[in-house]
Every structure is written in structure tokens, then in C-alpha cells.
Amino acid sequence: MSCKIDYEAPADLLAGRVIVVTGAGDGIGQCAALSYARHGATVILLGRTIAKLEATYDLIEAEGLAQPAIFPLNLEGASLKDYHDMAETLDKEFGRLDGILHNAGLLGRITPFEQYNPELWEQVMQVNVNGPLWMTQALLPLLQASDDASVIFTSSSVGRKGRAFWGAYAVSKFAVEGFSEVLAEEVEHLGTLRINTLNPGATRTSMRKGAYPGEDPMTLRTPEDIMPTYLWLMGPDSRGHNGERFNAQPA
Ligand code: NAP
């Protein structure tokens, strides 16, 4: 499981590419969207809170980068039809798709499994697993048409080694790890589409604060600090890596 924290991305790394970032209104997703735009991409900002997506849009616009697009979608309630409509819109508006960063995520509750609420469990699985998975299915034709496309599923250390009380969140990340391997094998023959997982590691965001309320956030890396691996894995320098697990920070 390698980490590319020292990677220096060329300024035009993602020039001409169209990339969907989910959960683009906050935390790591906002930072990745801005970072991809700074490296030339046209970014589709997907998320559930329009005001937050607009804030990311404004950051990108203020730097005079390629004009992004806002795609409001709540992964919890989205249907397969929504994802097919999304594919149709992207095809019509942009005519291509070169990457998806599946970043949106829900923590759920950190609690003994004995007390886990089944509805909350379903919500976490919907946002962290089912939504990204069906979105990927609907967008596969566009991704397959690209001559170099990258799909990144965001994992976590608890998706690689189970930990008490992390319930649905941990299970959802294990599911994403498994699914990535399945899909990676299915698309391997194409040679132009790669599917990998990326664990950001402990990062200064509101989700981390929710999980570790007593921790001093200043001891953590910021989303900006972990961008080198996000850029490397989305861009052409990671060509040939398929079905692998990456970390954005050294272990
Ligand atoms: P964050 O600041 O809480 O951001 C999560 C994003 O997901 C927000 O933009 C949120 O939108 C979006 N989201 C949540 N539910 C959604 C839904 N139903 N539909 C659409 N979007 C939804 O968290 P983060 O720390 O940046 O996390 C980003 C990813 O990294 C997650 O997958 C997380 O599991 C993973 N991760 C983070 C850490 C860490 O230390 N921070 C460590 C390991 C893994 P709203 O703002 O509108 O709610």
C-alpha cells in the first residue's frame, strides 16, 4: 500500500479532463475539487448541500480556473434513474468523463453494535456504498470511452482492519475495498480505466472532529497536505495501477 505524499504534480496534469468529485462542498472533497481544477480539470461538484457546493464553485471561479459545474444530489435518496440522468447530462454538457473521486461519506455512530440503529446503518451503507456503486455503473460507458480514466473510492483504516464500535462505517469501507477489486478485475482488459481505493488517513475535517472530539485538530494533516496522492491517483502518472489500495499519508 503505497503513498505518494512527495509527488509533485505538473501544473497541467489534468488539463482537458472532466472529473466528478462527490462531497465537494466540504473537507477533503472541497480541497480535492479545487486542487483538480488548479491542475486543469473541469470539475463536477456533486453533493447534497447546494450552498456548500456554491462555496467551492466560488473558490474555483475566483482563481479563474476552468468553469466547474454544480450537481446537487443526495446519495441517500438517489435512485438508479438519477444516476442515468446524471450520465445523460454529463454526456450532453461535456461529452466525456475521465474520473470520479468517490469522496462523500457518512460516519454514522461510533457505538457498540448491540446498540446500532438499523435505520442509521442503512443510511451509512446507502451513502458510502450503494450510491457510489450505482453511480459508477451508470457512468461506466462514459468512463470506458475515455482514453485514460481513474475511479477512486475513498476508504479508511477501519475498512482495512476492523475496529470495535465503528459499525456501519467500517463495514461500508470494507465493502468499497471489495467492490473496487471486483470492478478492477472486470475492466482490467480495457487498459484505459483504473479502479483503486485511497485512505486519506487522519485529516483535519469536521468528520474527523465528530469521530475524535477530544483530539487537537492542529496535530492532524490538513486536506491540502494530502493532495499529492489524490492528484497522482487521478492523473496519468498512475496509469497501470488498477485494483490497488493507496494511502494519502505515510502509515
Ligand atoms: P466531511 O468534511 O464530513 O465531508 C463529507 C462530505 O460528504 C460532505 O461534503 C458531505 O456533504 C458529503 N455527504 C455526506 N452525506 C452525503 C449525501 N447523503 N449525499 C451527498 N453528499 C454527502 O468529511 P471528510 O473528512 O472530508 O471525509 C471525506 C472522505 O474521507 C469520506 O469518505 C470519509 O469517510 C473519508 N475519510 C476521512 C478521514 C478523516 O480523517 N477526515 C479518514 C478516513 C477516511 P454535506 O457537507 O452537505 O453534509
Side-chain angles (χ1 to χ4, degrees):
M1 277 182 256
S2 52
C3 159
K4 299 283 174 188
I5 201 149
D6 295 326
Y7 175 67
E8 285 178 27
D12 62 349
L13 181 81
L14 302 173
R17 295 185 187 221
V18 175
I19 294 168
V20 170
V21 176
T22 74
D26 213 338
I28 297 167
Q30 180 179 69
C31 190
L34 183 57
S35 199
Y36 289 165
R38 281 179 179 153
H39 289 83
T42 297
V43 186
I44 317 299
L45 309 169
L46 187 146
R48 65 177 170 180
T49 311
I50 294 177
K52 288 184 173 185
L53 299 174
E54 284 172 348
T56 308
Y57 184 101
D58 290 346
L59 288 174
I60 293 173
E61 223 192 14
E63 294 191 23
L65 305 168
Q67 189 183 16
I70 290 182
F71 203 96
L73 193 67
N74 186 335
L75 296 179
E76 205 188 310
S79 66
L80 201 53
K81 181 176 182 312
D82 291 322
Y83 296 126
H84 282 286
D85 289 349
M86 176 183 177
E88 212 178 294
T89 304
L90 293 184
D91 193 20
K92 204 164 80 198
E93 299 292 325
F94 303 98
R96 63 184 295 163
L97 181 65
D98 308 285
I100 310 174
L101 173 63
H102 286 297
N103 160 85
L106 205 58
L107 181 63
R109 265 192 85 193
I110 297 175
T111 184
F113 177 65
E114 256 186 308
Q115 290 159 23
Y116 214 102
N117 176 303
E119 274 166 32
L120 182 60
W121 188 285
E122 289 298 323
Q123 278 170 11
V124 172
M125 294 304 282
Q126 200 57 34
V127 175
N128 295 5
V129 185
N130 300 334
L133 192 149
W134 297 120
M135 185 193 300
T136 305
Q137 187 193 55
L139 298 181
L140 266 180
L142 277 171
L143 292 164
Q144 285 170 346
S146 166
D147 59 11
D148 181 42
S150 175
V151 176
I152 303 173
F153 285 94
T154 306
S155 189
S156 164
S157 55
V158 296
R160 292 172 179 171
K161 167 103 181 57
R163 196 182 306 157
F165 313 129
W166 281 70
Y169 181 81
V171 170
S172 74
K173 297 299 187 181
F174 266 96
V176 153
E177 292 280 354
F179 174 69
S180 298
E181 288 181 12
V182 170
L183 189 59
E185 267 203 18
E186 291 184 20
V187 302
E188 176 72 27
H189 68 282
L190 297 171
T192 53
L193 172 59
R194 54 194 178 284
I195 318 283
N196 295 287
T197 65
L198 178 54
N199 168 21
T203 308
R204 200 188 305 164
T205 67
S206 51
M207 183 188 285
R208 178 75 191 185
K209 198 159 182 52
Y212 296 89
E215 183 179 67
D216 175 5
M218 299 315 282
T219 61
L220 301 173
R221 282 196 169 86
T222 63
E224 188 70 40
D225 295 334
I226 61 171
M227 283 303 119
T229 314
Y230 277 76
L231 284 162
W232 177 82
L233 200 50
M234 189 51 81
D237 291 328
S238 58
R239 233 177 231 160
H241 292 273
N242 184 35
E244 297 180 34
R245 301 169 170 199
F246 293 94
N247 291 317
Q249 306 189 30

